Every structure is written in C-alpha cells, then in structure tokens.
Amino acid sequence: MAMSEATADEEVGVDEMVGVYRHDVHKFRGRQHGSGVGEFAGVRVNERVPLGADADASMLSRPRGNPEQSVDNHATPHRLSLVSGDRAVDDPRLVANRRGDIEWLVTPSEPEVLHARWLTSTVAGAYNETVYYPYTSLQYHVLLAGALLDNYREGYDLEDLYLVATEPGEFERWPGAAQDSDVVEAFRTVLWTPAFALHVTGAPGGRPGVRLGERAVRSFGDVWARLPVYPFDVGSGRRWRVLDAQLRRIRAWSTALAYIRDFTAAYKPHEPSGDARRPSRGEGP
C-alpha cells in the first residue's frame, strides 16, 4: 500500500471500488493501458487503481521485466486453458456479442453488482491478462485487484492477508445468486465454483487460512500447499488428488484460479462417479 486514500480519490475520480472493475477494459482487445480508451459505453474506464492494488495483483501472476510471446501462433487476448490446451471458451457467439458482454461487466455503478458479475462471468474467463502470458486470466486478475483494493482500503497490508478456502454453499452461476449467497463475500471472494470458494481477506473471521506472504509474487502453489484445511477430502477420489497435485505446481495466481474453474467444470470432482477423463473438444467451462 503506497498512497493515502485522499490522494487515491483525486487520481481515480470515481468510486474506487467501481473503478477497479473497469480498469482493464482495454485487455479485452489485447491492448496496453496507454493505448486504451478513456470511456466505454458511457462510463470512465482504464483508470489507475489506487493503493498499488492493480500492480500487486499483476505481480501475483506475472513476473517483472519485458515479456516475450511464450506460445507460438497465439498472440490474441483469448485465454488458453491448462486443462484442455484450447481456448478457454471457444464459442464464436462470445466474439459476436463481445461489446454487449463487456458493457454488462463494466456499466453498473454499484460495486457489489460489478463484483458479482465478474465473479460469475463466463465471458471474462475467456480472456488473458496479456498475450505474453496466455494461460493467465483477466477475470481473476480483476477479482484479485478488487480483493486487494478492498483490503488495503481497510488498512491491511499484503502481509496481513490470508487465503481462505470454504465450501461453496448453494452455487448458481448468476450474479444475483452470488449477491444472495452466505458464502460469497463482496469484493473478497475471488473464486466461486460448484466445488469450493476462495477468499482473500485480512479478516478470516475464525475460518482457517494461510497468509499470502510479505511480497506480491507468483506463489499460488506454495500458499495452496500451506492451507491448514482443504475444502475437499484429497483422499476421497482421484479427481481431487489430481487437482490438488496440479495446484501445488502452478505459480501464477490468476492461472491457478482459472485452472480450478476449468477443472471443476470439466471433471466435476464434487460429483460422485468413476475416474477422471479428458474432456472432449468443446466441452467444459
């Protein structure tokens, strides 16, 4: 956390918790901040996120330095899935309706509505943070930035924050369900799936959690491995063991959260059945 709240207000010009969900509209087109438009669908977008929340969220998933294209023949803003290797949502309708879908994600003026829409969105999950890191997720970067900003505004530093894993409650993929859920915490729930939920918070409230660490670095696997309580019984089935083993290897936070979403959608480890299988092409989240 680097600047006072008063300074942040002057720089943003809109409610900070609204601006954080609008700050990366340019990434839907694979553009940098400097080349992004200042207004979209009648609202201000691409503004700076205060208190260093966006920068810290970026460092959770991307290393410092000048990146180079890491996957040949994939220089697009569409995310690649670690589960299937394909584009995360290979549906041409998403491209055709993209402008309307993006408007839906950024135009509300209530920050709780914006959080719920990003948390349950399928469209946002189809894009990466940058073409240089195509397995990262724009959706989870924005949700992490929102969680960090909300915590920083409450006076917590990064080293004060915990990752908390919980049961999902009654899951439905639509914003109203997220807002009504007893499990989802506005701004601080960064993942909500039918299998479990994850939260980044300085106030775990008695729930078992593990600290993120002193610095914003790509450390998801290390943090996941130190969780005192898992939201599932790793020994209860092969699918859970596969998921747990893979999460211990993934360093980038947004990539890991996207992997959980893709894996639980494709293999449904929370539903009793036989061994895991590979999803067919086109099947999945």
Side-chain angles (χ1 to χ4, degrees):
M1 188 167 58
M3 66 181 71
S4 70
E5 189 167 323
T7 303
D9 286 339
E10 293 172 0
E11 292 197 5
V12 175
V14 297
D15 185 294
E16 295 170 350
M17 293 310 302
V18 171
V20 71
Y21 296 106
R22 297 174 175 174
H23 79 281
D24 267 342
V25 166
H26 57 283
K27 291 187 176 179
F28 284 103
R29 297 179 178 176
R31 295 179 178 174
Q32 303 292 323
H33 265 292
S35 59
V37 297
E39 184 175 308
F40 177 79
V43 299
R44 295 174 64 175
V45 298
N46 295 341
E47 294 187 281
R48 181 176 178 180
V49 177
L51 306 179
D54 180 39
D56 286 351
S58 298
M59 292 302 298
L60 289 175
S61 301
R62 289 175 276 154
R64 294 183 187 276
N66 298 318
E68 297 180 354
Q69 188 172 331
S70 55
V71 177
D72 291 340
N73 302 320
H74 189 79
T76 81
H78 296 112
R79 181 174 67 87
L80 291 178
S81 171
L82 275 179
V83 172
S84 67
D86 297 328
R87 295 198 316 172
V89 182
D90 202 359
D91 186 340
R93 291 175 300 177
L94 293 176
V95 177
N97 297 325
R98 188 172 61 182
R99 181 178 175 86
D101 292 330
I102 298 172
E103 289 181 4
W104 190 79
L105 283 166
V106 301
T107 52
S109 57
E110 302 87 359
E112 294 83 0
V113 174
L114 287 165
H115 170 257
R117 290 191 178 187
W118 277 89
L119 187 65
T120 57
S121 174
T122 298
V123 172
Y127 293 84
N128 54 47
E129 291 188 44
T130 166
V131 297
Y132 301 116
Y133 298 101
Y135 294 100
T136 58
S137 165
L138 174 59
Q139 177 181 24
Y140 293 112
H141 163 73
V142 169
L143 289 166
L144 286 167
L148 294 181
L149 178 59
D150 185 53
N151 280 288
Y152 291 171
R153 282 161 50 97
E154 292 295 321
Y156 297 110
D157 289 319
L158 182 73
E159 62 184 359
D160 302 322
L161 303 185
Y162 294 82
L163 176 67
V164 174
T166 67
E167 299 287 337
E170 188 173 347
F171 174 86
E172 291 183 72
R173 190 178 294 284
W174 67 284
Q179 289 188 271
D180 294 340
S181 171
D182 293 332
V183 172
V184 173
E185 184 177 0
F187 317 129
R188 299 185 181 184
T189 298
V190 296
L191 175 81
W192 192 39
T193 73
F196 58 90
L198 294 178
H199 322 270
V200 172
T201 179
R207 297 170 297 181
V210 60
R211 290 186 185 274
L212 271 61
E214 296 181 354
R215 296 182 297 116
V217 295
R218 297 189 304 162
S219 61
F220 184 87
D222 295 336
V223 174
W224 175 266
R226 291 189 287 108
L227 273 173
V229 176
Y230 287 95
F232 51 82
D233 181 1
V234 176
S236 64
R238 181 173 178 271
R239 296 177 184 181
W240 287 128
R241 292 194 293 275
V242 170
L243 177 60
D244 176 57
Q246 297 290 19
L247 291 178
R248 290 169 184 262
R249 299 186 178 99
I250 300 174
R251 297 171 60 193
W253 279 71
S254 74
T255 301
L257 298 180
Y259 181 83
I260 294 169
R261 171 177 156 155
D262 291 352
F263 187 95
T264 54
Y267 296 120
K268 297 179 172 53
H270 48 288
E271 295 181 0
S273 62
D275 288 342
R277 60 182 176 81
R278 283 188 58 81
S280 60
R281 189 177 182 83
E283 177 186 12

